Structure formats: structure tokens, C-alpha cells
Amino acid sequence: MSDIIDVHTHYVPKGWPDLSADAGVDAPWLRVESESDAIIMMGTREFRRIQSDAWDYEVRLRDMDADGVRAQVVSPTPAFFNYGRTPEEAERIARIFNDLALTIVEPAPDRLIPFCQVPLQDTDAACRELERCVENGHRGVEIGNHVGDRDLDSDGIVTFLQHCASLSVPVFVHPWDMANSPRLDRWMAQWLAGMPAETHLSILSLILGGGFDRIDEGLRIAFAHGGGSFAFWLGRVDNAWHRRHDIIGTSAKPPSQYVDRFYVDSVVFDERALRLLVDTMGSERVLVGSDYPYPLGERPVGSVVRKSEFLTPEARAMIEHENAMRFLGVS
């Protein structure tokens, strides 16, 4: 078996209690159609068709074996973050999904690594749920890249990230909603353009918003989807920091000097893009990610990393598992 550790996968439980306590909210529920097929519903609207690989550990392990994956971080599906609900409702929902996640990974604790979700709209509730989950066996936390109009550099989220650092809990950042307009409703443009832009913006918020300057350097944080468009446009951001320092000189150092503060996953699907990512971030800051089990993910997992001829054996080993072990805090 390969030594690949996949840090970017998602789960969906096979059903959960009614979540429609908030009036006017299209509560998520699961319309199970067979033993292996279901549809995530948002009220009366179909959100996404899924299969049993979202909840069945045996199917998941078979796919991992086929792809040569040693271990897999299992994170929530961002549609269930519920940042728009009241803090009380979001905390109740987080507890439900976090407890269900543990039942999914329990049969294979050496291979399935659970990450929890938290009610990020309320700092105290988020810290409280994080502590409960870590005590119960979760190994990290997945958060969305913003809460309403608050980016990751807002005071409450910075406080939460600092709490993660103090507990040595790794954080995985995933975009969870995108701008909506008729121009983005065609050919999945929200996913193809909006999602990378959201991730880029959330990295900038921690840099230009001064978040990294206020958070302990011990924070282990990773961003999905190769960090969005960040690697491609880092030169532009640096140029703006120097030439328009009166407007964006809000970080203590130029943006390029913060690339050692975070990780990105490798799910960019193309060797040229991976080369840029490694050249920009360094091979020690890239982790294998797949977005399993969703259709826009990479299968076989890690195939671009395996096939990229520019990687040295040492760099490939770092990306396939060594960096993930450091991110996860595994010796």
C-alpha cells in the first residue's frame, strides 16, 4: 500500500434528526432512495445526489485500498455548516453531525481521521464544541472560509483560530458558499470560478487582514483546492503591497513572506498547476487532497502527484504523507 494520506475528503451520514426548528430555513435532510443512493435535500430543493461512499466505511476503505491511500481525513460536507442559523441551532446541529461522524469512522480508527464542524458564528460556542469533539475523539476541525460578511481575520474567528493553536488542533478551511448571479449559474461556474476565488480571498484575509500577525505561529491550518488562485496571483498581491502600501500595507510583512504559515492541498488536476503550487509554497507546504467522494474530486487519489516527473522522490514523499503527518501532529 502507498503511504498517501488524503487530507481532503467529506462524509454525509445516512440520515439525521429533523433540523427544521428555525422557521424559514430550508433545513437539510436526506432522501434515501436505495441502500447505495440518496439525495441531499435543502427543504424541497435537490442539492446533491450521493452514494454510499459518503457514509459506508467499507466502501470507503475499498476505494482507499484501490487508490493506495493509507489514511484519510474525513470532514463534514460544508453544506451542513449552518452559519446562517442562530448560534443555538448551529451548535445543536454541529453536535448531531459530529457525533454521527464518529460512528462512521469508528470501525477503522487507524485509517479514518475525523474532523469536526463548529458553530463559527459564535466564538464561545465554537470553542465549546471544539473542546467537546476533541475530547470525544475528533482530530481536527473543518471551517468555512467566512461567516456572512466576516472573513477569517475578524476578531471572533481569530480568537477561535488562536484557541485551535493553543489546543494543537489542525484546521482545514473549505469554501462553503459562492457568489450567485446568472453569469455563475451556467456550467457549474460557481465551482469552477467562484470556489477558487473564495479560497484565494480567505487566504488574503489572514495575510492582509493581519490575522497571521495576531495568531500564534503554532497554528496548523490548510486550505482546500490548492489554495484557489493564490499561487498564481501571489506576485500581483506582493506588487500591490509595495506599490499601494497606503491601502493594503496592513500586514507586518509582504504577502509572500507568509507562505510558511499555512498548507494547501494538491487537488489541482494538472502537473503544470502542481509545479506552480510547489514552486510558490514549497514542497513542504503541499498535502495530498482529493475531495472524495464528490464527482469533481481526483480519482485515483494523488494521481497528479504520482505522475509529476518534476518532483524528486524526497518532495513526493513529503507531499504524499510527511507533510500530512506534521499537519495532523502525528510523530
Side-chain angles (χ1 to χ4, degrees), residues 5-16:
I5 299 175
D6 183 355
V7 303
H8 181 180
T9 84
H10 301 287
Y11 76 90
V12 178
K14 193 178 182 182
W16 50 84

Side-chain angles (χ1 to χ4, degrees), residues 6-198:
D6 183 355
V7 303
H8 181 180
T9 84
H10 301 287
Y11 76 90
V12 178
K14 193 178 182 182
W16 50 84
D18 179 36
L19 305 179
S20 58
D22 281 353
V25 175
D26 287 337
W29 57 283
L30 196 67
R31 191 172 79 198
V32 178
E33 301 199 322
S34 72
E35 281 298 310
S36 58
D37 292 277
I39 297 177
I40 300 173
M41 302 292 296
M42 297 294 179
T44 59
R45 175 176 61 90
E46 292 187 3
F47 174 72
R48 176 177 292 165
R49 181 175 292 275
I50 61 172
Q51 283 76 45
S52 57
D53 48 12
W55 64 76
D56 189 329
Y57 81 94
E58 292 182 326
V59 175
R60 198 173 273 263
L61 292 178
R62 283 199 298 269
D63 287 346
M64 291 168 65
D65 289 342
D67 289 2
V69 175
R70 184 213 313 176
Q72 190 185 75
V73 172
V74 183
S75 292
T77 293
F80 304 131
F81 284 157
N82 289 283
Y83 293 159
R85 288 179 177 246
T86 66
E88 295 77 17
E89 279 298 301
E91 184 173 12
R92 179 178 72 89
I93 293 168
R95 291 175 68 96
I96 290 171
F97 278 95
N98 290 334
D99 291 348
L100 288 171
L102 292 177
T103 68
I104 292 173
V105 305
E106 183 180 20
D110 56 332
R111 301 190 65 188
L112 301 178
I113 303 167
F115 272 33
C116 64
Q117 67 184 69
V118 296
L120 198 59
Q121 62 267 59
D122 184 284
T123 304
D124 290 341
C127 292
R128 184 166 57 242
E129 179 61 9
L130 178 73
E131 293 171 1
R132 187 188 76 89
C133 287
V134 170
E135 184 176 348
N136 288 345
H138 284 271
R139 302 270 296 281
V141 59
E142 180 188 60
I143 64 171
N145 65 306
H146 70 102
V147 176
D149 292 329
R150 293 191 294 134
D151 278 312
L152 299 185
D153 63 312
S154 69
D155 289 342
I157 299 177
V158 164
T159 297
F160 174 75
L161 293 175
Q162 182 59 43
H163 193 54
C164 293
S166 69
L167 297 177
S168 194
V169 174
V171 180
F172 188 70
V173 181
H174 197 292
W176 66 277
D177 71 341
M178 288 80 73
N180 188 24
S181 76
R183 294 176 59 237
L184 292 171
D185 286 341
R186 302 185 298 159
W187 22 263
M188 297 190 75
Q190 282 188 311
W191 277 262
L192 302 181
M195 190 169 280
E198 284 291 329

Side-chain angles (χ1 to χ4, degrees), residues 4-8 172 222-228 263-275 277-278 281-283 285-291 296-306 308 310-311 315-316 318-321 323-324:
I4 282 180
I5 299 175
D6 183 355
V7 303
H8 181 180
F172 188 70
F223 291 84
H225 309 129
Y263 299 87
V264 295
D265 73 18
S266 66
V267 61
V268 293
F269 305 100
D270 185 275
E271 181 175 345
R272 294 164 297 183
L274 182 64
R275 181 192 290 269
L277 201 61
V278 171
M281 299 295 302
S283 56
R285 287 286 159 179
V286 181
L287 314 162
V288 168
S290 69
D291 217 349
L296 294 187
E298 182 188 54
R299 294 291 308 275
V301 174
S303 57
V304 173
V305 172
R306 285 194 183 100
S308 291
F310 74 90
L311 291 172
R316 185 173 288 106
M318 292 174 73
I319 295 171
E320 286 187 343
H321 63 275
N323 298 337

